Amino acid sequence: MTTWAALGLQDSASPLMEQLSFFHDHTLMILVMITTLVGYLMFMLFFNSYTNRNLLHGQTIEVIWTILPAIILLFIAFPSLRLLYLIDEINEPSVTLKAIGHQWYWSYEYSDLMNVESDSYMIPTNELSTDSFRLLDVDNRVILPMNSQIRILVTAADVIHSWTVPALGVKVDGTPGRLNQINFLMNRPGLFYGQCSEICGANHSFMPIVIESIPVNYFIKWI
């Protein structure tokens, strides 16, 4: 899903993913500071035998080590809640795509623009071209316009699947008998890869997702 030895997130291709990356870095910085402080205190206690009678039975220090973690958690909770509501915000979509999960492939329908349906299967290894990605490329890519509000309706025909594209910050469960939706906007052209992120059976890891983001005028010509 990402490059070799990459420890961070994928490069974002949507404003929501940018916000998720910022929140990740913000939370990671808080965790690094906490880990450094606790590690330093533990290191000092190993090699020093300090005794402070005020720390043995003191309400003041107990109040401090109770209130301080709560305040630190607020610095994580408030940005998290803000981002949660941003992700769930519904905008007027330019294109609606319906994704239906099957064992083990995806079906797509452009219901509001044209009556076009396609099944997206993973390309077997022996049929790959030299510039394709093994276990990630599909025979029918999802073509979507960039800089446009896209609505994805996700469901499933048999078991629970999960339509996931990390570069867009999108992860939606497809549940039989239920229709879930999410909005996103792609701010650059390119190919964005994803996979089913729900354990849906023996071939769970072989139903990839490929989104091809193209300019709006090319999308209109493609229609």
Side-chain angles (χ1 to χ4, degrees), residues 84-206:
L84 189 65
Y85 279 100
L86 278 177
I87 291 174
D88 280 340
E89 188 174 347
I90 302 300
N91 299 299
E92 188 67 29
S94 301
V95 177
T96 299
L97 176 74
K98 185 177 180 181
I100 306 169
H102 302 270
Q103 291 182 315
W104 284 273
Y105 64 95
W106 292 98
S107 296
Y108 297 104
E109 300 175 5
Y110 294 84
S111 53
D112 58 348
L113 292 178
M114 49 187 173
N115 190 21
V116 170
E117 302 178 4
S118 63
D119 294 334
S120 183
Y121 290 86
M122 186 190 74
I123 301 177
T125 304
N126 58 349
E127 297 178 12
L128 285 174
S129 58
T130 54
D131 59 345
S132 299
F133 292 104
R134 177 178 172 269
L135 303 182
L136 282 179
D137 264 304
V138 297
D139 53 0
N140 289 312
R141 295 171 176 169
V142 180
I143 311 294
L144 291 172
M146 59 180 284
N147 294 324
S148 302
Q149 283 292 336
I150 310 296
R151 176 173 61 182
I152 304 291
L153 303 175
V154 183
T155 186
D158 34 48
V159 297
I160 298 177
H161 299 277
S162 185
W163 200 84
T164 307
V165 183
L168 302 176
V170 174
K171 183 182 175 74
V172 192
D173 276 352
T175 309
R178 183 181 176 90
L179 207 59
N180 295 325
Q181 76 167 358
I182 195 167
N183 283 47
F184 63 88
L185 180 144
M186 297 177 290
N187 53 16
R188 62 185 175 93
L191 292 176
F192 309 119
Y193 294 86
Q195 289 174 305
C196 175
S197 299
E198 197 70 59
I199 302 176
C200 58
N203 293 327
H204 144 74
S205 57
F206 302 108

